[in-house]
Amino acid sequence: MPRSVPRTVLDVTVNNHPGVMSHVCGLFSRRAFNVEAILCLPMHGGEASRIWLLVDEDDRLEQMIRQMRKLQDVHDVRVSTEKTAVFDQLGTVMGG
Amino acid sequence: MFRMTGAELTIRLLERQGIRIVSGIPGGANLPLYDALSRSEHIHHVLARHEQGAGFIAQGMARVTGQPAVCLATSGPGATNILTAIADAKLDSVPLVCITGQVPSPLMGTDAFQEVDTYGMSIAITKHNFLVRSAQELLSVIPEAFRLAASGRPGPVLVDIPRDIQTAEIAFAQWPEPGEADPAPQAYDADIETAAAMINAARRPLLWVGGGVIAAGAGGQVRALAEKASMPVTMTLMGLGAIPRDHPLSIGMLGMHAERYTNMALEACDLIIAAGVRFDDRATGKVQEFCPAAKVIHIDIDHSEIDKIRTASVGILGDIAEVLDVLMPKVQPNGRAEWLEYIAALRAAFPQHAPVQGGYETPQKLIRRIGEIADEGAIVCTDVGKHQMWTAQSYPFRRQRQWLTSGGLGTMGFGLPAAIGASLAAPDRRVICFSGDGSLLMNIQEFATAAEQKVNVTVVLLNNNCLGLVHQQQELFFRGNYFSSEYQIAVDFLKIAEGFGWRTVDLGTSADPDADIARAFAQRGPCLVHVPVDREEKVLPMVPPGAANRIMIEGEAHA
């Protein structure tokens, strides 16, 4: 079924310690804003992590980004529409 | 090298932050902290009777001073009990540092005795939180907690410290600097220019000020700007006291329990300068129909508030006092006679419910009267309910940080412990706590704390033996089906207060209420003033929840 809302990727750099993922995902779940897919890998020798979130590009997104920037463990949030292809590729690998 | 335990380090770091009073309750998981606290020469500990009370005592201190205050709780039930006070601080942007004990690290995640996931539970209700994983980490975490609580939009920070980290020995060479608030973001000049041009061009501008103005201490700037440009000022519940209630440009509180003329003035304005407000539904009513004709200039220190609920024509990110200082010289003096005459005509056509003089005929007049009898320096605290709205409508507020109320979360039980905290922070000022019987019963155990600390708190209990606002909503919106809102027994609050060691005054049997209130205020120490109130006394006018602000029940004249 074709989707009516286009999707985009939030590219988020965060501190790497237990609980950061809860902070980030909690922002979305509290606002009933679904995260469709998540990728997370450590970087810089494990001090930081990079999270990619596949989300709907609807009119709440700007507020989500501002809320995320307020999180103390979040260094940077960028919108990278072109990275949605990575999730499509992973989708074939994972058999979805 | 300095050598000490994690617990001693924590207490020393609190001392270095300038903390002189902490509230809390000891328990198994924070006993090392308490043991270290017992040896502090600088910090006075206030033993609350319930952790929620401890949290609100700290809130009272923080709301009066504007500085972060500290509360302590143990793991498990201690932590869950204090969470309501933390959530309350989050919604009203109160700087707080809450330190909880946690079960020893090796037991975490095993469902150990008195273990809960304090970190996980507090994520959604704190500005930030920490689970400390080594004693060394305390050197950065504690100052960081204070920095975060005080920076930008203030808020609560929780630090969870496992017991083994409290007892661990560490050595370190240097003390960290105490954590302090970061400088506020600088507003863009172009935005200020645009805002000034919009104000200068506006025919019917209004200033709408909220808790952010109080947090920024910008009441003086608001008043000066209003006077220069002849802009009426309306306040949210949290913004009361930003300018004196009897200032000619004050049009009082807006929203659900505003005066009719105030909400009608908002309908008519062509520009709102919204400063430190978050477009809360209790203030805006149905937001799509709020100030339909107005452009919006929104000034706030929190970027996520701008455009959150209503898109601003101009959003200015910065400290409100600093922004108004820069804006002021660019705003032209303007008498705006037509606009002020229109508002005066509205006020005449829809006379205020709020009394302009005190007396004893209604709860509103009584509150006004107490404001006339109390000195101007009195701090006014409330619980949540009808008495809160009557106080918001009637008390003659004159200054910032004079008014402490649970606005965002609306926590019944807030008043008494917050009043205790206010009195501890400002021992030379009288603290008056207006409460209701429903609210007072929710933290009445803190009567013991108040008596023990000999705080100068007068609780004025407006007793209607029911859950008043619930009762009112059931009457108006549920065809008078008063299910579970009327108490079946009448509690004798005078006896209860006496049992806790309080002085009491009963206005219900008073022959000379003025003299009895003066008597209550004449002595130091806690005193209960009991006032029987009819259940039928309503808070009016009222915008039904979800309706536009122009739909006001009993908004008509009520002379």
Side-chain angles (χ1 to χ4, degrees):
Chain A
M1 201 168 71
R3 287 197 308 267
S4 55
V5 185
R7 287 198 171 144
T8 191
V9 168
L10 297 180
D11 181 340
V12 192
T13 315
V14 299
N15 289 332
N16 179 12
H17 69 77
V20 174
M21 194 67 99
S22 297
H23 274 275
V24 172
C25 293
L27 276 187
F28 286 85
S29 59
R30 277 206 296 289
R31 291 169 178 78
F33 193 133
N34 197 35
V35 176
E36 296 298 328
I38 302 173
L39 265 177
C40 181
L41 288 170
M43 54 193 273
H44 303 319
E47 280 291 296
S49 289
R50 202 157 170 189
I51 306 175
W52 288 5
L53 302 171
L54 181 69
V55 294
D56 283 349
E57 197 171 11
D58 70 17
D59 52 10
R60 294 175 295 169
L61 195 59
E62 177 59 28
Q63 173 66 202
M64 292 311 308
I65 292 169
R66 289 186 187 185
Q67 291 289 348
M68 220 183 305
R69 287 194 173 127
K70 278 166 65 174
L71 295 177
Q72 303 303 323
D73 284 321
V74 169
H75 298 298
D76 194 19
V77 186
R78 291 180 195 182
V79 183
S80 311
T81 303
E82 69 277 12
K83 287 174 183 155
T84 53
V86 175
F87 287 95
D88 292 338
Q89 288 164 17
L90 273 172
T92 40
V93 174
M94 294 176 80
Chain B
M1 285 300 251
F2 302 98
R3 288 175 197 282
M4 61 190 75
T5 64
E8 285 161 347
L9 175 60
T10 304
I11 301 302
R12 293 293 296 279
L13 289 170
L14 295 183
E15 290 173 348
R16 291 171 60 85
Q17 288 292 150
I19 296 301
R20 295 297 172 259
I21 303 172
V22 301
S23 53
I25 302 185
N30 68 359
L31 270 179
L33 275 172
Y34 267 83
D35 190 57
L37 182 57
S38 74
R39 290 186 291 278
S40 171
E41 292 173 6
H42 300 291
I43 302 178
H44 168 65
H45 180 254
V46 175
L47 175 63
R49 295 324 197 247
H50 187 289
E51 286 84 357
Q52 195 186 105
F56 284 130
I57 288 169
Q59 269 218 39
M61 296 192 280
R63 286 182 190 240
V64 163
T65 63
Q67 300 300 314
V70 176
C71 50
L72 309 175
T74 192
S75 65
T80 53
N81 279 347
I82 211 164
L83 288 181
T84 300
I86 305 297
D88 189 281
K90 177 72 162 34
L91 278 174
D92 285 347
S93 306
V94 177
L96 209 63
V97 173
C98 175
I99 299 177
T100 46
Q102 182 55 277
V103 301
S105 314
L107 294 183
M108 286 180 67
T110 66
D111 299 330
F113 176 65
Q114 294 197 327
E115 184 195 359
V116 291
D117 176 13
T118 308
Y119 178 88
M121 286 192 303
S122 59
I123 286 176
I125 55 164
T126 52
K127 192 172 168 190
H128 190 55
N129 58 358
F130 297 94
L131 172 56
V132 181
R133 287 167 299 168
S134 72
Q136 203 74 33
E137 251 186 39
L138 289 165
L139 286 165
S140 57
V141 165
I142 301 290
E144 183 74 348
F146 280 88
R147 181 183 74 80
L148 292 171
S151 295
R153 180 179 184 172
V157 176
L158 186 136
V159 183
D160 199 28
I161 314 180
R163 195 181 195 280
D164 56 313
I165 285 160
Q166 298 170 39
T167 52
E169 296 265 354
I170 65 156
F172 57 97
Q174 208 179 353
W175 286 100
E177 287 298 309
E180 284 176 18
D182 298 332
Q186 285 290 309
Y188 293 114
D189 292 344
D191 290 342
I192 304 259
E193 294 292 342
T194 312
M198 284 169 70
I199 293 170
N200 292 335
R203 295 178 58 212
R204 299 183 303 279
L206 263 174
L207 265 164
W208 171 26
V209 303
V213 164
I214 309 291
Q221 283 91 338
V222 164
R223 180 177 175 163
L225 180 65
E227 287 171 355
K228 186 173 186 185
S230 302
M231 292 190 282
V233 182
T234 185
M235 291 163 272
T236 68
L237 182 71
M238 294 299 293
L240 293 175
I243 71 164
R245 160 148 279 157
D246 54 6
H247 189 285
L249 287 168
S250 166
I251 58 168
M253 185 170 71
L254 81 164
M256 180 177 276
H257 293 299
E259 299 292 349
R260 188 173 181 87
Y261 83 89
T262 309
N263 280 345
M264 289 179 72
L266 280 149
E267 285 271 315
C269 74
D270 65 355
L271 175 70
I272 327 171
I273 300 105
V277 302
R278 56 187 178 85
F279 289 73
D280 176 75
D281 57 280
R282 285 291 190 270
T284 64
K286 189 176 181 185
V287 73
Q288 294 81 358
E289 294 176 40
F290 176 67
C291 298
K295 291 180 180 161
V296 176
I297 298 169
H298 193 176
I299 312 169
D300 207 291
I301 202 161
D302 180 352
H303 194 204
S304 68
E305 283 306 326
I306 294 168
D307 301 330
K308 183 178 85 175
I309 288 172
R310 175 152 172 177
T311 306
S313 307
V314 184
I316 303 179
L317 181 66
D319 175 84
I320 294 164
E322 291 172 13
V323 169
L324 294 186
D325 280 339
V326 184
L327 184 63
M328 181 78 76
K330 301 177 194 300
V331 171
Q332 290 154 5
N334 188 333
R336 291 198 167 85
E338 198 182 328
W339 177 221
L340 294 188
E341 278 167 25
Y342 178 76
I343 292 198
L346 278 181
R347 203 189 297 232
F350 303 100
Q352 288 178 240
H353 285 63
V356 289
Q357 277 189 331
Y360 296 96
E361 300 90 334
T362 62
Q364 293 96 319
K365 293 199 89 171
L366 167 81
I367 290 163
R368 175 80 200 194
R369 183 74 192 131
I370 287 173
E372 289 163 359
I373 295 172
D375 57 281
E376 275 192 19
I379 295 166
V380 178
C381 204
T382 70
D383 260 302
V384 170
K386 281 182 176 173
H387 66 275
Q388 178 189 31
M389 291 301 123
W390 286 327
T391 309
Q393 292 172 334
S394 313
Y395 195 91
F397 296 109
R398 301 196 55 84
R399 47 157 105 177
Q400 306 177 74
R401 298 201 179 280
Q402 184 188 10
W403 162 243
L404 319 185
T405 200
S406 170
L409 195 65
T411 312
M412 294 171 71
F414 169 92
L416 172 62
I420 294 171
S423 184
L424 290 165
D428 297 331
R429 294 170 70 182
R430 173 174 317 289
V431 181
I432 304 167
C433 172
F434 292 97
S435 188
D437 50 308
S439 285
L440 190 59
L441 283 168
M442 287 204 187
N443 270 323
I444 200 161
Q445 75 287 344
E446 302 308 332
F447 266 35
T449 312
E452 202 165 82
Q453 299 293 329
K454 303 183 178 67
V455 288
N456 207 13
V457 168
T458 307
V459 170
V460 178
L461 169 61
L462 303 180
N463 182 2
N464 56 12
N465 200 31
C466 70
L467 291 164
L469 272 184
V470 173
H471 199 264
Q472 174 167 326
Q473 292 213 19
Q474 286 174 330
E475 175 181 340
L476 296 175
F477 311 122
F478 294 89
R479 301 192 193 104
N481 180 21
Y482 301 122
F483 181 66
S484 285
S485 63
E486 296 181 346
Y487 295 127
Q488 301 303 307
I489 61 158
V491 168
D492 188 339
F493 286 96
L494 294 161
K495 267 191 191 154
I496 288 173
E498 282 161 15
F500 277 107
W502 281 47
R503 288 185 294 124
T504 59
V505 167
D506 187 5
L507 285 197
T509 57
S510 173
D512 185 351
D514 268 11
D516 283 340
I517 289 169
R519 189 162 57 84
F521 287 166
Q523 276 177 270
R524 284 189 66 88
C527 180
L528 174 74
V529 177
H530 179 254
V531 188
V533 170
D534 196 299
R535 273 182 188 160
E536 302 311 313
E537 287 285 351
K538 291 191 186 51
V539 178
L540 294 170
M542 180 178 192
V543 178
N549 274 348
R550 66 175 172 279
I551 316 281
M552 301 191 76
I553 295 169
E554 292 245 3
E556 300 75 26
H558 187 78

